[in-house]
């Protein structure tokens, strides 16, 4: 005999609340179980809170005519006046153009470089030689741009630099690469790749290390050559990492390396090498135009965030890999 008893709606709601409470308690127990891991995370959270979130209070400077004696709160509001100056002035647009050109060069030539280096190192079978190449390639990452800039200036010097000495031996007039508008951007891009290619390749090498070696064994049995194994096994296996790294790289299109360009920039190449960060430095710290400099920085960060989110959306739409 079938029962016609139905569960009242309030009882159903109670059951749902009970399940939700049980799930919440289970999650809380997991947090308590791994409490020491969260203690290890605490210094990082404090760092971001102090140095990344607390300074966001200063964003108000972009909308104020800042007077140091009055402070941020006491300075008068000017609305969007700084942003109007930003887009109607004659100084910012050339700087934006230089930033975009250099960043696109770095993305076009610099993004594939660590992937290629990773594939080359992965194919090396001699362990000592492989470790030596890795050490030599990622060592420049740990050297300050102050030191590297001095090294590059000496290396490319038209009078005593080895490159120009070689050019003179070949009958070619010496070139002052650092002070030549036709060569400066190339020096910036090439030196940036040289400094970061080894360090960035570590990420891809870690992804390659996770590939199942049985795939290569099966490919060998099928008679696949080295290039075929790279094309059909290695590259598809590290594609998720490549996509994630590309999403991050898109945010740097509007960014630039201040340390690098500031230490290499000079008056002769200002027209092709002056970028947003050096421009912001001059306006904010040299000319003490704090509000306008903050507006420039805010514009740059908003554009960078938009680029990253759009790249993430496109990656999610056309593949199964994305950040969020």
């Amino acid at each position: 005999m079938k029962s016609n008893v139905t569960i009242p709606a309030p009882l159903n709601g109670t059951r749902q609340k009970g399940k939700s409470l049980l799930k919440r308690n289970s999650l809380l127990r997991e947090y308590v179980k791994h409490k020491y891991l969260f203690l290890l995370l605490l210094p990082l959270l404090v760092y971001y809170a102090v140095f990344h979130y607390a300074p966001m209070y200063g964003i108000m400077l972009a909308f104020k005519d800042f007077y140091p004696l009055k402070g941020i709160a006491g300075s008068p509001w000017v609305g969007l006046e700084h942003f109007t100056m930003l887009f109607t002035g004659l100084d910012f647009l050339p700087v934006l153009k230089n930033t975009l050109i250099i960043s696109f060069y770095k993305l076009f030539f610099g993004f594939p470089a660590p992937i290629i280096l990773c594939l080359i190192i992965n194919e090396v079978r001699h362990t000592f030689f492989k470790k030596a190449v890795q050490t030599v390639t990622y060592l420049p990452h740990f050297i300050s741009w102050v030191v590297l800039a001095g090294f590059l200036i000496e290396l490319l010097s038209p009078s005593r630099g080895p490159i120009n000495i070689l050019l003179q031996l070949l009958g070619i007039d010496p070139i002052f690469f650092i002070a030549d508008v036709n060569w400066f951007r190339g020096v910036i891009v090439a030196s940036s790749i040289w400094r970061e290619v080894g360090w960035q390749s570590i990420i891809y090498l870690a992804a390659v290390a996770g590939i199942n070696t049985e795939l290569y064994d099966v490919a060998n049995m099928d008679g696949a050559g080295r290039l075929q194994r790279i094309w059909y096994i290695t590259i598809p296996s590290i594609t998720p990492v490549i996509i994630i790294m590309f999403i991050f790289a898109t945010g740097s299109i509007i960014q630039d390396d201040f340390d690098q360009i500031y230490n290499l920039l000079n008056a002769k190449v200002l027209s092709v090498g002056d970028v947003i960060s050096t421009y912001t430095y001059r306006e904010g710290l040299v000319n003490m135009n704090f509000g306008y400099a903050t507006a420039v920085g805010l514009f740059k960060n908003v554009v960078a965030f938009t680029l990253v989110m759009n790249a993430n959306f496109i990656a999610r739409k056309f593949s199964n890999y994305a950040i969020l």
Side-chain angles (χ1 to χ4, degrees), residues 54-297:
M56 291 179 71
Y57 170 72
I59 290 177
M60 288 194 300
L61 286 176
F63 308 96
K64 288 196 168 192
D65 187 10
F66 178 67
Y67 292 94
L69 295 179
K70 295 182 179 180
I72 297 178
S75 298
W77 292 92
V78 295
L80 299 177
E81 179 181 325
H82 295 310
F83 293 94
T84 303
M85 293 171 56
L86 188 70
F87 296 109
T88 58
L90 299 177
D91 297 331
F92 178 71
L93 292 182
V95 169
L96 178 62
K97 177 185 175 183
N98 292 337
T99 304
L100 293 176
I101 291 175
I102 293 175
S103 297
F104 272 115
Y105 283 165
K106 286 184 177 181
L107 183 64
F108 184 79
F109 295 104
F111 182 76
I115 302 174
I116 296 172
L117 179 63
C118 164
L119 297 175
I120 294 173
I121 292 177
N122 185 58
E123 294 301 316
V124 176
R125 294 294 173 257
H126 197 289
T127 305
F128 176 78
F129 181 74
K130 178 187 290 189
K131 291 182 178 179
V133 170
Q134 285 183 271
T135 302
V136 170
T137 53
Y138 71 64
L139 186 61
H141 173 80
F142 299 98
I143 303 176
S144 168
W145 269 118
V146 177
V147 178
L148 290 179
F151 171 76
L152 286 171
I153 292 172
E154 289 299 317
L155 180 68
L156 302 175
S157 171
S159 58
R160 57 185 179 274
I163 293 180
N164 275 300
I165 292 175
L166 179 61
L167 291 178
Q168 291 179 35
L169 292 175
L170 297 174
I172 302 174
D173 294 333
I175 303 171
F176 197 178
F177 295 95
I178 301 296
D180 192 328
V181 294
N182 297 317
W183 289 95
F184 183 77
R185 287 172 178 167
V187 171
I188 291 294
V189 175
S191 59
S192 176
I193 295 173
W194 167 60
R195 185 176 188 263
E196 300 297 339
V197 63
W199 180 254
Q200 293 175 357
S201 67
I202 295 176
I203 300 173
Y204 299 106
L205 286 169
V208 170
I211 300 175
N212 190 348
T213 55
E214 293 180 358
L215 296 174
Y216 293 104
D217 296 335
V218 173
N220 284 330
M221 293 175 61
D222 291 340
R226 181 169 293 187
L227 292 178
Q228 289 176 315
R229 294 196 300 270
I230 293 174
W231 185 257
Y232 292 106
I233 298 177
T234 308
I235 294 179
S237 298
I238 65 174
T239 296
V241 178
I242 294 175
I243 292 175
I244 297 299
M245 295 302 294
F246 183 77
I247 292 173
F248 286 128
T250 54
S252 64
I253 291 177
I254 195 66
Q255 303 287 349
D256 49 72
D257 194 335
F258 172 78
D259 292 338
Q260 177 196 20
I261 297 180
Y262 179 76
N263 284 286
L264 291 173
L265 192 64
N266 55 80
K268 291 187 177 181
V269 293
L270 200 63
S271 61
V272 297
D274 193 20
V275 293
I276 291 179
S277 61
T278 54
Y279 177 70
T280 305
Y281 166 77
R282 287 198 312 276
E283 289 294 329
L285 297 181
V286 178
N287 299 332
M288 300 187 68
N289 194 354
F290 300 107
Y292 180 73
T294 305
V296 175

Side-chain angles (χ1 to χ4, degrees), residues 43-56:
L44 182 64
L45 296 177
V46 172
Y47 164 77
Y48 274 95
V50 173
F51 294 102
H52 290 269
Y53 286 94
M56 291 179 71

Side-chain angles (χ1 to χ4, degrees), residues 18-29:
K19 290 180 180 179
S20 176
L21 184 61
L22 183 63
K23 184 177 180 181
R24 192 180 302 112
N25 290 336
S26 176
L27 186 62
L28 182 61
R29 283 197 296 271

